[in-house]
Amino acid sequence: MTEPQNEKPQNYANHARFDPWFHFTLAPILIFLLISGVVGIVRANHNRHQHIVIAVGAFLLLWIVVRARTYSLRVQDRVIRLEERIRLSVLLPDPLRGRIPELTVQQLVALRFASDVEVPTLVEKTLAENLEPKAIKKSIQSWRPDHFRV
């Protein structure tokens, strides 16, 4: 896969993604409304009902937005798990191939960034040392970018 135009090559330091509409617009606005509603409830001597409605509405909208984001990330992880299991079944030697089910979803998600050449060694190390996803990503020498994630 080639790098998209105007993007630096992907690596451990820059692989995290932000969804601007979610992280920088929708979530902050809803958090602000929730805090404003709670402050209004605490400070109001009268007409608390209006502030309660704002706080509860903001909380419910924030909850819905976060749940929708969580669901999309969970589906993405399931797709990555499937892709990586298929990829590993092709790339790994027989002794390691039978151990693919021992890898956690989080480990498979981290392994997706490893190049085909280093996958067998990294899988063996991951299984032997039960590496955390962060350690797996830091161990990768030849980064395989993923520009399609949410």
Side-chain angles (χ1 to χ4, degrees), residues 91-104:
L91 296 174
L92 295 179
D94 285 336
L96 283 178
R97 196 173 299 138
R99 297 190 64 197
I100 292 171
E102 295 176 36
L103 295 165
T104 67

PDB file of all heavy atoms in Angstrom, residues 91-104:
ATOM      1  N   LEU A  91       1.751 -16.624   6.591  1.00  0.00           N
ATOM      2  CA  LEU A  91       3.145 -16.232   6.820  1.00  0.00           C
ATOM      3  C   LEU A  91       3.899 -17.073   7.852  1.00  0.00           C
ATOM      4  O   LEU A  91       5.126 -17.161   7.786  1.00  0.00           O
ATOM      5  CB  LEU A  91       3.206 -14.764   7.267  1.00  0.00           C
ATOM      6  CG  LEU A  91       2.726 -13.721   6.260  1.00  0.00           C
ATOM      7  CD1 LEU A  91       2.719 -12.340   6.890  1.00  0.00           C
ATOM      8  CD2 LEU A  91       3.595 -13.747   5.008  1.00  0.00           C
ATOM      9  N   LEU A  92       3.195 -17.668   8.787  1.00  0.00           N
ATOM     10  CA  LEU A  92       3.880 -18.372   9.875  1.00  0.00           C
ATOM     11  C   LEU A  92       4.240 -19.810   9.500  1.00  0.00           C
ATOM     12  O   LEU A  92       3.496 -20.472   8.777  1.00  0.00           O
ATOM     13  CB  LEU A  92       3.001 -18.396  11.134  1.00  0.00           C
ATOM     14  CG  LEU A  92       2.706 -17.051  11.776  1.00  0.00           C
ATOM     15  CD1 LEU A  92       1.813 -17.246  13.002  1.00  0.00           C
ATOM     16  CD2 LEU A  92       3.989 -16.324  12.168  1.00  0.00           C
ATOM     17  N   PRO A  93       5.354 -20.300  10.039  1.00  0.00           N
ATOM     18  CA  PRO A  93       5.690 -21.712   9.835  1.00  0.00           C
ATOM     19  C   PRO A  93       4.710 -22.593  10.631  1.00  0.00           C
ATOM     20  O   PRO A  93       4.056 -22.124  11.565  1.00  0.00           O
ATOM     21  CB  PRO A  93       7.118 -21.828  10.386  1.00  0.00           C
ATOM     22  CG  PRO A  93       7.291 -20.667  11.302  1.00  0.00           C
ATOM     23  CD  PRO A  93       6.370 -19.585  10.798  1.00  0.00           C
ATOM     24  N   ASP A  94       4.643 -23.875  10.288  1.00  0.00           N
ATOM     25  CA  ASP A  94       3.669 -24.791  10.906  1.00  0.00           C
ATOM     26  C   ASP A  94       3.636 -24.750  12.430  1.00  0.00           C
ATOM     27  O   ASP A  94       2.549 -24.686  13.005  1.00  0.00           O
ATOM     28  CB  ASP A  94       3.908 -26.227  10.421  1.00  0.00           C
ATOM     29  CG  ASP A  94       3.410 -26.421   8.996  1.00  0.00           C
ATOM     30  OD1 ASP A  94       2.515 -25.659   8.580  1.00  0.00           O
ATOM     31  OD2 ASP A  94       3.920 -27.316   8.313  1.00  0.00           O
ATOM     32  N   PRO A  95       4.761 -24.803  13.133  1.00  0.00           N
ATOM     33  CA  PRO A  95       4.669 -24.827  14.602  1.00  0.00           C
ATOM     34  C   PRO A  95       3.970 -23.586  15.182  1.00  0.00           C
ATOM     35  O   PRO A  95       3.214 -23.691  16.146  1.00  0.00           O
ATOM     36  CB  PRO A  95       6.128 -24.877  15.065  1.00  0.00           C
ATOM     37  CG  PRO A  95       6.913 -25.329  13.889  1.00  0.00           C
ATOM     38  CD  PRO A  95       6.140 -24.912  12.678  1.00  0.00           C
ATOM     39  N   LEU A  96       4.197 -22.434  14.593  1.00  0.00           N
ATOM     40  CA  LEU A  96       3.564 -21.201  15.088  1.00  0.00           C
ATOM     41  C   LEU A  96       2.128 -21.055  14.597  1.00  0.00           C
ATOM     42  O   LEU A  96       1.302 -20.444  15.272  1.00  0.00           O
ATOM     43  CB  LEU A  96       4.373 -19.969  14.660  1.00  0.00           C
ATOM     44  CG  LEU A  96       5.638 -19.674  15.441  1.00  0.00           C
ATOM     45  CD1 LEU A  96       6.352 -18.460  14.860  1.00  0.00           C
ATOM     46  CD2 LEU A  96       5.329 -19.448  16.911  1.00  0.00           C
ATOM     47  N   ARG A  97       1.847 -21.589  13.430  1.00  0.00           N
ATOM     48  CA  ARG A  97       0.506 -21.456  12.849  1.00  0.00           C
ATOM     49  C   ARG A  97      -0.568 -22.011  13.784  1.00  0.00           C
ATOM     50  O   ARG A  97      -1.640 -21.429  13.945  1.00  0.00           O
ATOM     51  CB  ARG A  97       0.458 -22.159  11.498  1.00  0.00           C
ATOM     52  CG  ARG A  97      -0.724 -21.786  10.649  1.00  0.00           C
ATOM     53  CD  ARG A  97      -0.657 -22.379   9.258  1.00  0.00           C
ATOM     54  NE  ARG A  97       0.520 -21.883   8.566  1.00  0.00           N
ATOM     55  CZ  ARG A  97       1.324 -22.640   7.803  1.00  0.00           C
ATOM     56  NH1 ARG A  97       1.075 -23.920   7.634  1.00  0.00           N
ATOM     57  NH2 ARG A  97       2.371 -22.125   7.217  1.00  0.00           N
ATOM     58  N   GLY A  98      -0.262 -23.107  14.455  1.00  0.00           N
ATOM     59  CA  GLY A  98      -1.211 -23.717  15.376  1.00  0.00           C
ATOM     60  C   GLY A  98      -1.417 -22.910  16.643  1.00  0.00           C
ATOM     61  O   GLY A  98      -2.356 -23.163  17.398  1.00  0.00           O
ATOM     62  N   ARG A  99      -0.573 -21.908  16.885  1.00  0.00           N
ATOM     63  CA  ARG A  99      -0.674 -21.095  18.104  1.00  0.00           C
ATOM     64  C   ARG A  99      -1.351 -19.748  17.869  1.00  0.00           C
ATOM     65  O   ARG A  99      -1.471 -18.945  18.786  1.00  0.00           O
ATOM     66  CB  ARG A  99       0.726 -20.879  18.688  1.00  0.00           C
ATOM     67  CG  ARG A  99       1.357 -22.204  19.122  1.00  0.00           C
ATOM     68  CD  ARG A  99       2.609 -22.019  19.897  1.00  0.00           C
ATOM     69  NE  ARG A  99       2.327 -21.336  21.153  1.00  0.00           N
ATOM     70  CZ  ARG A  99       3.274 -20.754  21.898  1.00  0.00           C
ATOM     71  NH1 ARG A  99       4.538 -20.790  21.512  1.00  0.00           N
ATOM     72  NH2 ARG A  99       2.949 -20.147  23.021  1.00  0.00           N
ATOM     73  N   ILE A 100      -1.819 -19.501  16.660  1.00  0.00           N
ATOM     74  CA  ILE A 100      -2.490 -18.223  16.349  1.00  0.00           C
ATOM     75  C   ILE A 100      -3.647 -17.941  17.308  1.00  0.00           C
ATOM     76  O   ILE A 100      -3.769 -16.813  17.784  1.00  0.00           O
ATOM     77  CB  ILE A 100      -2.956 -18.182  14.864  1.00  0.00           C
ATOM     78  CG1 ILE A 100      -1.754 -18.144  13.926  1.00  0.00           C
ATOM     79  CG2 ILE A 100      -3.869 -16.988  14.617  1.00  0.00           C
ATOM     80  CD1 ILE A 100      -2.100 -18.312  12.449  1.00  0.00           C
ATOM     81  N   PRO A 101      -4.476 -18.924  17.664  1.00  0.00           N
ATOM     82  CA  PRO A 101      -5.584 -18.636  18.587  1.00  0.00           C
ATOM     83  C   PRO A 101      -5.134 -18.151  19.980  1.00  0.00           C
ATOM     84  O   PRO A 101      -5.932 -17.583  20.720  1.00  0.00           O
ATOM     85  CB  PRO A 101      -6.325 -19.971  18.698  1.00  0.00           C
ATOM     86  CG  PRO A 101      -5.977 -20.694  17.438  1.00  0.00           C
ATOM     87  CD  PRO A 101      -4.579 -20.272  17.109  1.00  0.00           C
ATOM     88  N   GLU A 102      -3.870 -18.352  20.335  1.00  0.00           N
ATOM     89  CA  GLU A 102      -3.367 -17.898  21.630  1.00  0.00           C
ATOM     90  C   GLU A 102      -3.173 -16.376  21.678  1.00  0.00           C
ATOM     91  O   GLU A 102      -3.069 -15.803  22.763  1.00  0.00           O
ATOM     92  CB  GLU A 102      -2.034 -18.580  21.963  1.00  0.00           C
ATOM     93  CG  GLU A 102      -2.146 -20.075  22.156  1.00  0.00           C
ATOM     94  CD  GLU A 102      -0.788 -20.717  22.393  1.00  0.00           C
ATOM     95  OE1 GLU A 102       0.073 -20.098  23.062  1.00  0.00           O
ATOM     96  OE2 GLU A 102      -0.582 -21.846  21.890  1.00  0.00           O
ATOM     97  N   LEU A 103      -3.090 -15.755  20.515  1.00  0.00           N
ATOM     98  CA  LEU A 103      -2.903 -14.303  20.463  1.00  0.00           C
ATOM     99  C   LEU A 103      -4.209 -13.594  20.793  1.00  0.00           C
ATOM    100  O   LEU A 103      -5.271 -13.978  20.301  1.00  0.00           O
ATOM    101  CB  LEU A 103      -2.419 -13.874  19.075  1.00  0.00           C
ATOM    102  CG  LEU A 103      -1.035 -14.388  18.671  1.00  0.00           C
ATOM    103  CD1 LEU A 103      -0.827 -14.221  17.169  1.00  0.00           C
ATOM    104  CD2 LEU A 103       0.050 -13.664  19.456  1.00  0.00           C
ATOM    105  N   THR A 104      -4.118 -12.559  21.614  1.00  0.00           N
ATOM    106  CA  THR A 104      -5.315 -11.784  21.956  1.00  0.00           C
ATOM    107  C   THR A 104      -5.673 -10.852  20.802  1.00  0.00           C
ATOM    108  O   THR A 104      -4.839 -10.592  19.918  1.00  0.00           O
ATOM    109  CB  THR A 104      -5.082 -10.937  23.221  1.00  0.00           C
ATOM    110  OG1 THR A 104      -4.110  -9.925  22.927  1.00  0.00           O
ATOM    111  CG2 THR A 104      -4.643 -11.794  24.395  1.00  0.00           C
TER     112      THR A 104
END
